[in-house]
Amino acid sequence: MTVKLDFEECLKDSPRFRASIELVEAEVSELETRLEKLLKLGNGLLESGRHYLAASRAFIVGICDLAHLGPPEPMMAECLDNFTQSLSHKLDSHAELLDATQHTLQQQIQTLVKEGLRGFREARRDFWRGAESLEAALTHNAEVPRRRAQEAEEAGAALKIARAGYRARALDYALQINVIEDKRKFDIMEFVLRLVEAQATHFQQGHEELCRLAQYRKELGGQLHRLVLNSAREKRDMEQRHVLLKQKELGGEEPEPSLREGPGGLVMEGHLFKRASNAFKTWSRRWFTIQSNQLVYQKKHKDPVTVVVDDLRLCTVKLCPDSERRFCFEVVSPSKSCLLQADSERLLQLWVSAVQSSIATAFNQARLDDSPRGPGQGSGHLAMGSAATLGSGGMTRGRDSGGVGHVAAQVQSVDGNAQCCDCREPAPEWASINLGVTLCIQCSGIHRSLGVHFSKVRSLTLDSWEPELVKLMCELGNVVMNQIYEARVEAMAVKKPGPSCSRQEKEAWIHAKYVEKKFLTKLPEIRGRRGGRGPPRGQPPVPPKPGTIRPQPGSFRPKPEPPSEDLGSLHPGALLFRAAGHPPSLPTMADALAHGADVNWVHGGQENATPLIQATAANSLLACEFLLQNGANVNQVDSHGRGPLHHATILGHTGLACLFLKRGADLGARDSEGRDPLTIAVETANADIVTLLRLAKMREVDAAQGQAGDETYLDIFRDFSLMASDDPEKLSRRSHDLHTL
């Protein structure tokens, strides 16, 4: 409403006053309709809000139920407890908002409709009644004839009374109209203000609740990120394990009986058929276990175990060749005997050996319990015998150079590696293994697009890393490689892209840097490791330490290179060959490759040796790994028909032999004298290399027959790789050294 009535105009009862009255009545009627609609919408809002609160509280209960599913997990329980408590607080605040909204609706809008508009309606009714009475009195007074004086006097008196009553009602009506106009304004504005204040309180409480959890949410986000990475690695390992087991299962191979550590000592377990002692002599398949000097079995996991032999010291085990069934053996005790059947001849021998070892262990343990234990004594028969029988080989499974976070931290700790090599993005989680640099995820994608002949990209957090590859990454690094590939950036006044630059700018930079090689300078002289210099020219080579393996007859012996005052003038291939020698210089090798050196360059004056053979003669695991990652041919031979594996075998470099075998060296390659690497290893009496080569040949035979084989091969190679990286001196022992241990 915008009309405000004047009392004088009301007394005149002018047409303008009547028009204002009609306008006011129409607006008040529309106001009443809209207020009632607002009340209806508000009630609907309150009802839906309470439904939302009920559904949300039920949802919170469902979340809480997740925390009690399965074994307790502290991290998950803490997360659910904090977040459900926070959600409950926000729902309580929402309930307070609904209550405030309902109170405001009732106090302001509903009061305005029920009380304010009711007074207006009553005043309007009285006004129009007075108007009708005045109209009737006016009409009657006008119709009285002149000759009827008495009637005229009475009509005048009635008119006077009607006019007075009308004016009083008109004044009351005008007052009510003006009051309802003001009341409508401040009631509606007060309603909106209180509603906004309630909303502000609600959202302020929610903001404070979220701020309280801000630090926890940040820490939880980091923990979840690490869990996702670990889960991805575990998933990859499980998939690989699944493929191996599936191939093994499809090959029809029999399952191995398991050997594990139990609460009562070592435990051997597996399925066996058992003949019942009843008259029917029925056979049933049960899960048998050797534990705590007892032989027990059960049908299901939750079933109580049935003891076959109470004390293994009181029984013997024997084969049953006369039984009508195959692969049978009998466990005999003073009180009873039990006839058992394995699934194959091999499993039969394993079980018999295990039971015999357990009997011996029980006797030894009893003697040790009755007498003081001397130094070096212990119950190790079952551990030694069963482990050897089951072919565990004594190797630790799953060893690597460190966890996912350890590899990333180790590589990123190298000078300059904490930023992307190409755009300086902090905390890079990718690497180029042939260049030896760290990369951010965007630059790693650009490196992949260049092709593996330029860059081989691997994740520092998702991929598995061999120890020699980790050491190679730590030996090179962003600072060393950028001194090569960005040598002329400052002189050319070229701006290197930053982390915020577009992908197109980074792609152009990487292409110019690694493909076009615009920023290279001329070839330098041979540099020492990590940018230092090697021994001065003309000095004799450092004699080997006592106990190291000296070159054997027939091994590659590099001829002394003629002195050169300007090694930068050498052919890149010749420089690569020279840098791979003793002592190797990885930065110079990288520089030579950057200037176009052929990684398989042949030195005609050195028996057609390659840089890889030169690095083999220097016994440099890192130099060989660097050359192999950059495309060196592991089977390229010299003029005597000997490849890198031949030379590593002749020289007794076990770590290098292990590396070449992992990189696909040909086991059957023969030199000009008709000897393959295994023959050379036997002749040189190197027990470690003989073991490696024989295992590799067994692996080849299994692969040719479509069999996956067991993991012993991989375990031994993993152990040799770790030893070659961490304790290379231990690999210099020969067979006569091993006999003296």
Side-chain angles (χ1 to χ4, degrees):
M1 290 184 301
T2 58
V3 178
K4 197 151 188 175
L5 299 181
D6 185 75
F7 292 116
E8 286 75 9
E9 198 70 30
C10 168
L11 295 176
K12 293 178 182 178
D13 193 21
S14 63
R16 184 168 52 255
F17 171 72
R18 288 298 182 95
S20 299
I21 290 293
E22 292 176 358
L23 178 61
V24 167
E25 289 179 347
E27 290 186 353
V28 170
S29 177
E30 181 65 23
L31 173 64
E32 185 176 10
T33 301
R34 295 187 180 184
L35 289 177
E36 290 177 349
K37 180 181 179 182
L38 180 61
L39 282 173
K40 185 176 180 180
L41 293 174
N43 291 329
L45 172 66
L46 295 174
E47 183 178 359
S48 62
R50 292 190 173 91
H51 283 305
Y52 167 77
L53 289 177
S56 298
R57 296 189 191 281
F59 178 70
I60 291 176
V61 172
I63 294 179
C64 293
D65 291 341
L66 291 177
H68 301 91
L69 180 64
E73 297 183 6
M75 179 179 172
M76 183 176 181
E78 182 185 8
C79 169
L80 295 181
D81 181 64
N82 285 335
F83 287 150
T84 53
Q85 184 178 4
S86 176
L87 288 174
S88 298
H89 290 166
K90 287 195 280 290
L91 290 179
D92 293 339
S93 176
H94 197 172
E96 294 175 0
L97 173 64
L98 293 179
D99 292 339
T101 303
Q102 183 180 17
H103 178 73
T104 305
L105 278 173
Q106 292 175 348
Q107 188 174 4
Q108 303 299 324
I109 304 302
Q110 196 169 356
T111 301
L112 179 61
V113 172
K114 289 185 177 180
E115 297 180 5
L117 294 183
R118 183 178 61 187
F120 171 80
R121 286 191 295 269
E122 292 175 355
R124 182 180 60 183
R125 183 174 62 251
D126 292 342
F127 170 76
W128 285 113
R129 285 177 182 175
E132 290 175 359
S133 298
L134 177 61
E135 188 68 26
L138 287 172
T139 302
H140 179 66
N141 183 63
E143 290 176 350
V144 175
R146 194 183 294 274
R147 62 180 177 276
R148 299 179 182 176
Q150 181 65 29
E151 186 176 354
E153 185 178 353
E154 293 175 355
L159 176 61
K160 186 176 180 180
I161 294 172
R163 181 176 286 114
Y166 168 76
R167 287 182 175 181
R169 290 183 176 88
L171 288 172
D172 292 342
Y173 192 27
L175 176 63
Q176 189 65 37
I177 288 174
N178 291 334
V179 169
I180 197 67
E181 166 70 11
D182 292 336
K183 187 174 180 60
R184 177 190 73 87
K185 289 180 180 179
F186 69 73
D187 276 357
I188 292 177
M189 287 192 295
E190 186 174 0
F191 162 71
V192 174
L193 178 60
R194 292 186 179 182
L195 191 61
V196 170
E197 288 177 348
Q199 293 275 354
T201 302
H202 167 65
F203 288 112
Q204 180 66 27
Q205 292 175 350
H207 175 71
E208 293 174 356
E209 184 66 28
L210 292 176
C211 289
R212 184 180 66 83
L213 292 176
Q215 183 62 29
Y216 176 72
R217 288 187 290 114
K218 183 178 180 181
E219 295 174 357
L220 183 63
Q223 293 175 351
L224 286 178
H225 178 66
R226 291 190 292 272
L227 285 177
V228 169
L229 295 180
N230 292 336
S231 176
R233 186 179 65 162
E234 291 175 359
K235 179 183 177 183
R236 185 183 64 249
D237 294 342
M238 285 189 295
E239 289 174 348
Q240 294 174 354
R241 179 68 176 166
H242 170 263
V243 171
L244 291 176
L245 289 178
K246 192 172 182 180
Q247 293 175 351
K248 197 172 185 179
E249 181 65 24
L250 293 177
E253 297 182 5
E254 59 192 18
E256 292 278 0
S258 58
L259 183 69
R260 60 182 177 84
E261 186 72 25
L266 285 171
V267 175
M268 182 173 180
E269 53 188 12
H271 277 109
L272 291 172
F273 281 95
K274 174 186 176 297
R275 192 180 72 174
S277 57
N278 55 24
F280 298 101
K281 305 297 182 183
T282 56
W283 291 84
S284 55
R285 187 172 172 84
R286 295 290 183 265
W287 183 260
F288 278 80
T289 305
I290 300 175
Q291 58 180 353
S292 302
N293 296 334
Q294 290 182 333
L295 178 64
V296 300
Y297 71 88
Q298 60 185 150
K299 183 178 181 181
K300 296 180 180 179
H301 177 66
K302 295 184 179 180
D303 293 346
V305 297
T306 301
V307 179
V308 178
V309 178
D310 291 324
D311 192 343
L312 288 174
R313 293 176 297 173
L314 304 178
C315 70
T316 59
V317 59
K318 63 179 182 178
L319 299 176
C320 300
D322 298 332
S323 175
E324 61 180 11
R325 287 198 173 205
R326 299 175 300 160
F327 319 131
C328 291
F329 65 98
E330 188 175 13
V331 179
V332 182
S333 66
S335 59
K336 60 181 177 180
S337 65
C338 182
L339 187 61
L340 303 173
Q341 181 187 17
D343 293 337
S344 67
E345 181 66 28
R346 176 172 171 272
L347 291 178
L348 168 65
Q349 297 298 331
L350 290 177
W351 272 103
V352 170
S353 175
V355 175
Q356 291 173 343
S357 299
S358 300
I359 295 171
T361 301
F363 275 108
N364 291 336
Q365 185 64 44
R367 287 196 297 269
L368 291 173
D369 292 340
D370 295 337
S371 61
R373 179 166 300 182
Q377 294 179 342
S379 57
H381 289 269
L382 182 58
M384 297 291 289
S386 298
T389 305
L390 293 175
S392 65
M395 294 299 177
T396 303
R397 299 185 185 275
R399 292 177 55 189
D400 53 21
S401 61
V404 170
H406 176 74
V407 172
Q410 188 176 355
V411 174
Q412 291 175 358
S413 65
V414 177
D415 187 22
N417 283 12
Q419 295 181 338
C420 174
C421 180
D422 294 324
C423 73
R424 292 165 291 180
E425 175 80 23
E429 294 186 351
W430 297 82
S432 174
I433 57 177
N434 63 311
L435 293 173
V437 297
T438 57
L439 305 167
C440 67
I441 187 170
Q442 190 174 50
C443 290
S444 70
I446 300 174
H447 272 252
R448 286 185 190 275
S449 66
L450 299 179
V452 294
H453 54 292
F454 284 106
S455 184
K456 298 178 181 178
V457 179
R458 183 176 294 186
S459 172
L460 290 172
T461 57
L462 297 177
D463 293 324
S464 58
W465 285 75
E466 296 170 322
E468 59 268 19
L469 199 52
V470 176
K471 286 186 174 293
L472 177 62
M473 290 293 302
C474 296
E475 185 71 16
L476 293 172
N478 296 353
V479 172
V480 172
M481 299 308 291
N482 280 342
Q483 288 175 354
I484 298 172
Y485 284 93
E486 298 180 3
R488 295 197 302 135
V489 168
E490 294 184 1
M492 296 173 64
V494 180
K495 184 179 180 181
K496 184 174 181 177
S500 60
C501 291
S502 65
R503 179 183 175 89
Q504 290 76 14
E505 293 176 297
K506 296 180 181 179
E507 191 169 3
W509 168 264
I510 291 173
H511 193 274
K513 180 178 177 180
Y514 298 104
V515 180
E516 300 176 14
K517 300 178 180 178
K518 288 184 176 180
F519 314 124
L520 295 179
T521 186
K522 67 176 183 178
L523 282 172
E525 297 182 1
I526 291 187
R527 295 175 290 179
R529 183 169 297 187
R530 303 290 304 169
R533 294 188 174 272
R537 300 184 186 92
Q539 281 193 2
V542 179
K545 295 180 180 180
T548 57
I549 299 300
R550 297 182 179 274
Q552 299 299 309
S555 63
F556 172 73
R557 303 189 183 195
K559 297 178 182 178
E561 295 284 349
S564 174
E565 294 300 326
D566 186 11
L567 295 178
S569 63
L570 287 176
H571 183 276
L575 180 62
L576 177 64
F577 186 90
R578 177 79 66 88
H582 182 77
S585 173
L586 292 183
T588 305
M589 294 170 66
D591 212 344
L593 289 174
H595 284 81
D598 182 3
V599 72
N600 294 310
W601 185 80
V602 175
H603 196 314
Q606 294 276 1
E607 302 175 355
N608 288 341
T610 63
L612 185 57
I613 294 177
Q614 174 85 330
T616 303
N619 194 20
S620 174
L621 184 70
L622 294 184
C624 291
E625 177 68 17
F626 180 69
L627 292 169
L628 290 170
Q629 291 298 337
N630 282 279
N633 185 357
V634 74
N635 291 314
Q636 186 167 344
V637 299
D638 59 11
S639 58
H640 298 288
R642 300 190 184 103
L645 181 58
H646 287 86
H647 290 287
T649 304
I650 294 171
L651 296 169
H653 297 161
T654 309
L656 293 182
C658 178
L659 176 66
F660 297 148
L661 288 172
K662 289 194 299 182
R663 298 295 183 261
D666 186 4
L667 288 169
R670 298 181 180 274
D671 60 9
S672 57
E673 299 178 6
R675 301 182 303 171
D676 60 8
L678 181 56
T679 303
I680 296 174
V682 173
E683 291 177 354
T684 56
N686 192 307
D688 289 339
I689 298 183
V690 169
T691 300
L692 285 174
L693 294 173
R694 285 178 176 171
L695 283 173
K697 280 189 174 293
M698 292 169 59
R699 188 75 169 180
E700 280 190 352
V701 172
D702 290 342
Q705 296 176 354
Q707 299 177 0
D710 59 25
E711 294 185 354
T712 305
Y713 174 86
L714 298 178
D715 290 339
I716 294 176
F717 268 62
R718 188 180 297 113
D719 285 351
F720 273 117
S721 295
L722 285 170
M723 197 177 299
S725 297
D726 300 335
D727 301 300
E729 66 278 358
K730 293 184 179 180
L731 294 180
S732 62
R733 300 177 300 176
R734 296 194 176 273
S735 59
H736 59 80
D737 299 322
L738 299 176
H739 290 313
T740 62
L741 295 179

